[in-house]
Amino acid sequence: MRRLRLPLLLSCLPLAPALAADPALTDPAPAKGWTVTLGASAVYGPDYDGAKGRGFSAMPSFSISRADRASRFSAPDDGMDFALYETERFSIGVVGDYKAGRYTKHDRRLVGLRDVPWSLEGGVFAEIWPVQDRLRARVELRKGLRGHHGVVADFSADWVETAGSFTFALGPRLMLGSASSMRSNYGVTAWESALNGLIPAYRPGGGMKSYGVAGSVEYAWNESWSTTVFARYDRMAGDAARSPLVRQIGDRNQFSLGVSTSYSFDIGG
C-alpha cells in the first residue's frame, strides 16, 4: 500500500506549473483551480516485503489534482502523482512512493543480514479509462532514490462502480523489478549467509516480483470528507518467491488490510 508520499512529490511541483503552462502538454479546457486532498491511513500487513510476520502501521497521504478532475477514482495503493497532461480518459505525469524497510528487529532469524533501509522512489505514471468511469488501467515506472537504485514497475486495473455515496473498486495487480531492486530486498550475500548460519546465499535476477488483486470501498460523508476500507493480496513470484528470505522464513502470500480517511479542499480558481 502506498504511504508517506508528500516529500517526493513536492520536489517535482516546481516543474509542474511550467510544464502545465505549455499548450502542447495541457488539455485545451482551462483548469479552474486545484483540489488538495490530505489523508491518513492505518494498515495491518506484512512487516516487510515477503515477511511472514505482520503488524500495524500508520501513514499520511497527500494528493493534488485539477478541480474539474476531482471526482476521478484513485486507488488506495496508487503512488502519489501529479498529472502533467490529462483528458477525460487519459493522464500522464510524475509519481512518487515510499516503502518501509526490513530490519533485524522484525525477525530474530534475520541476524547477520544487512538491514534494508526505507526507500523513496520517483518516476512517471500513465492512466487510461477504456470504459469511461468504469474501467481504469494504470502503470507506474519508478526508480529508487533512497534505499535502492533499481527500477520497479507496477501495473494495475480496476473496475469501478458507484452507488449513492459508495464507490466500489476491484482489480488485478502485477509488480516487476530490476535485478538491482530485487537484490536489495531478496538477495543474500555469501558473507551474510556465513554470519547468519541458516540462510543460504542467493542472488536474484530481475523480472516478476508478485501478482495479486486489490479492492476498496469508499464512503463519501460529504463533498470534503470520505472514508475508505481497502484490502490487497499479493502472491510472490519469480526470483522473489525463490529467495530463502521468502521460502524459509517468509511467506509467498502477502495480505494487507487498512482504513483511511481524507479531507479535500479547493485552492485557486
Side-chain angles (χ1 to χ4, degrees):
M1 300 298 179
R2 294 348 189 199
R3 350 280 182 214
L4 197 60
R5 301 158 179 158
L6 179 57
L8 184 59
L9 186 66
L10 288 183
S11 67
C12 300
L13 291 183
L15 296 176
L19 289 169
D22 185 344
L25 295 175
T26 55
D27 186 3
K32 296 181 180 179
W34 305 89
T35 296
V36 177
T37 301
L38 304 177
S41 302
V43 180
Y44 179 74
D47 290 328
Y48 55 88
D49 281 350
K52 187 172 185 178
R54 295 174 172 82
F56 288 95
S57 61
M59 64 271 333
S61 64
F62 171 90
S63 68
I64 182 170
S65 62
R66 283 172 40 173
D68 56 355
R69 306 284 190 234
S71 61
R72 181 58 56 89
F73 166 81
S74 178
D77 56 349
D78 287 350
M80 182 180 172
D81 60 50
F82 185 92
L84 301 177
Y85 171 85
E86 58 181 333
T87 67
E88 288 294 330
R89 291 178 177 265
F90 178 77
S91 60
I92 188 170
V94 295
V95 66
D97 203 2
Y98 161 86
K99 295 293 181 63
R102 186 193 73 208
Y103 302 95
T104 304
K105 67 180 181 180
H106 288 136
D107 192 323
R108 60 181 176 81
R109 293 172 295 179
L110 294 171
V111 170
L113 276 65
R114 72 193 186 286
D115 287 340
V116 177
W118 59 269
S119 62
L120 288 176
E121 300 169 351
V124 296
F125 82 95
E127 181 176 297
I128 189 171
W129 290 79
V131 181
Q132 190 169 3
D133 298 327
R134 287 293 184 272
L135 177 61
R136 184 195 75 152
R138 178 182 173 97
V139 59
E140 297 183 12
L141 185 64
R142 306 185 307 272
K143 185 180 188 308
L145 305 175
R146 184 195 186 279
H148 74 90
H149 298 286
V151 177
V152 296
D154 290 355
F155 297 86
S156 63
D158 294 277
W159 186 263
V160 183
E161 290 287 348
T162 301
S165 297
F166 288 92
T167 299
F168 304 88
L170 181 69
R173 300 292 189 264
L174 174 65
M175 300 182 70
L176 309 178
S178 68
S180 177
S181 69
M182 296 281 272
R183 287 195 297 268
S184 295
N185 289 290
Y186 308 108
V188 181
T189 67
W191 177 247
E192 289 175 317
S193 176
L195 289 175
N196 179 272
L198 295 174
I199 300 176
Y202 180 69
R203 185 178 175 86
M208 184 186 299
K209 171 186 169 184
S210 66
Y211 57 90
V213 63
S216 63
V217 180
E218 177 185 353
Y219 181 77
W221 301 95
N222 50 48
E223 291 185 357
S224 297
W225 289 95
S226 66
T227 299
T228 302
V229 177
F230 53 88
R232 176 165 170 163
Y233 165 74
D234 290 290
R235 175 76 170 172
M236 308 298 292
D239 280 9
R242 288 186 281 270
S243 169
L245 293 171
V246 176
R247 289 188 296 105
Q248 289 185 210
I249 66 173
D251 192 341
R252 289 187 65 183
N253 300 303
Q254 302 281 285
F255 296 93
S256 296
L257 178 66
V259 60
S260 66
T261 187
S262 63
Y263 174 71
S264 300
F265 58 93
D266 293 335
I267 58 176

